């Protein structure tokens, strides 16, 4: 796997420039981008950097985190706080993401996206207002395990950590989730299937391919 050193700033610029020219797979006016990675890889940071690079270029975007679409605790934790199968397959409300995020961005859609649905800290609905993403606006969806759900992404970015770096940068209380990411790599191969791969074992010195 050959990767080239890059800075986060330069990476944001390159991705933003690519998005200016990107044609959507379904012909719709809203490019949809995945920023995929374990929480320890901080894919949301790259999403925010990319959003800023797009803003400078005059292109609107909407950053959405899958943490805003967690299922209620009564469903998410039905089999315990550390049930690996639930974490892998049932923590995130993929149906709501299809309905509230991807559906409005289909060709002929309204462009009215719900940026979040559920607050895991309060375990209540966020009641956030819908956001109108104008034609040409870019959806930046960030979170873990994104590439196993068949979401209609037009560009996918996977932020990779080696097993050792993932363990070091994951809080001890969350180490029980690590087998889920090993399973994800085995079943989905995000490093091989993503359009852009970013390795961030040392967050000060990322490297990339894409």
């Amino acid at each position: 796997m050959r990767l080239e050193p890059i800075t986060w700033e330069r990476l944001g610029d390159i991705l933003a420039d690519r998005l200016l020219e990107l044609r959507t797979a379904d012909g719709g006016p809203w490019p949809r981008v995945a920023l995929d990675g374990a929480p320890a890889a901080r894919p949301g940071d790259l999403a925010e950097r990319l959003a800023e690079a797009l803003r400078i270029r005059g292109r609107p975007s909407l950053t959405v985190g899958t943490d805003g679409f967690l299922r209620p605790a009564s469903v998410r934790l039905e089999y315990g706080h550390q049930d690996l199968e639930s974490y892998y397959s049932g923590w995130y409300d993929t149906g709501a993401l299809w309905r509230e995020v991807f559906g409005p961005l289909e060709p002929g859609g309204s462009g009215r996206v719900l940026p979040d649905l559920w607050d895991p800290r309060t375990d209540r609905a966020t009641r956030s207002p819908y956001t109108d993403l104008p034609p040409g606006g870019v959806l930046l969806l960030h979170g873990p395990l994104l590439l196993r759900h068949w979401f209609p992404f037009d560009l996918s970015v996977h932020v990779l950590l080696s097993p050792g770096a993932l363990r070091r940068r994951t809080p001890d209380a969350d180490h029980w989730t690590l087998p889920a990411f090993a399973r994800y790599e085995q079943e989905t191969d995000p490093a091989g299937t993503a359009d852009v791969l970013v390795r961030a074992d040392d967050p000060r010195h990322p490297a990339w391919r894409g």
Side-chain angles (χ1 to χ4, degrees), residues 65-142:
T66 57
D67 278 355
F69 286 85
L70 284 167
R71 296 183 186 277
S74 60
V75 177
R76 195 170 73 247
L77 307 178
E78 180 180 3
Y79 299 103
H81 286 257
Q82 297 186 3
D83 185 83
L84 198 61
E85 184 63 35
S86 293
Y87 179 74
Y88 190 69
S89 302
W91 271 37
Y92 295 93
D93 193 341
T94 55
L97 283 165
W98 279 104
R99 182 179 68 251
E100 303 291 359
V101 178
F102 289 103
L105 302 182
E106 293 177 350
S110 66
R112 297 186 73 241
V113 174
L114 190 65
D116 52 57
L117 180 65
W118 200 260
D119 185 338
R121 293 168 297 182
T122 63
D123 200 33
R124 295 175 181 236
T126 58
R127 303 189 185 279
S128 295
Y130 284 85
T131 297
D132 291 312
L133 190 61
V138 181
L139 170 69
L140 304 172
L141 181 67
H142 64 86

Side-chain angles (χ1 to χ4, degrees), residues 34-46:
L35 288 309
D36 174 62
R42 303 183 67 85
D45 290 356
L46 181 55

Side-chain angles (χ1 to χ4, degrees), residues 36-43 87 143-145 158-159 161 166 170 178 181 184:
D36 174 62
R42 303 183 67 85
Y87 179 74
L145 312 174
H158 177 64
V159 185
L161 297 178
L166 178 60
T170 298
L178 297 178
F181 296 106
Y184 179 54

Side-chain angles (χ1 to χ4, degrees), residues 133-179:
L133 190 61
V138 181
L139 170 69
L140 304 172
L141 181 67
H142 64 86
L145 312 174
L146 284 180
L147 304 185
R148 62 179 298 268
H149 296 297
W150 301 99
F151 290 138
F153 294 117
D154 300 296
L155 182 71
S156 56
V157 181
H158 177 64
V159 185
L160 173 68
L161 297 178
S162 68
L166 178 60
R167 176 170 289 276
R168 287 193 305 272
R169 293 171 58 183
T170 298
D172 289 348
D174 295 329
H175 275 189
W176 67 272
T177 65
L178 297 178

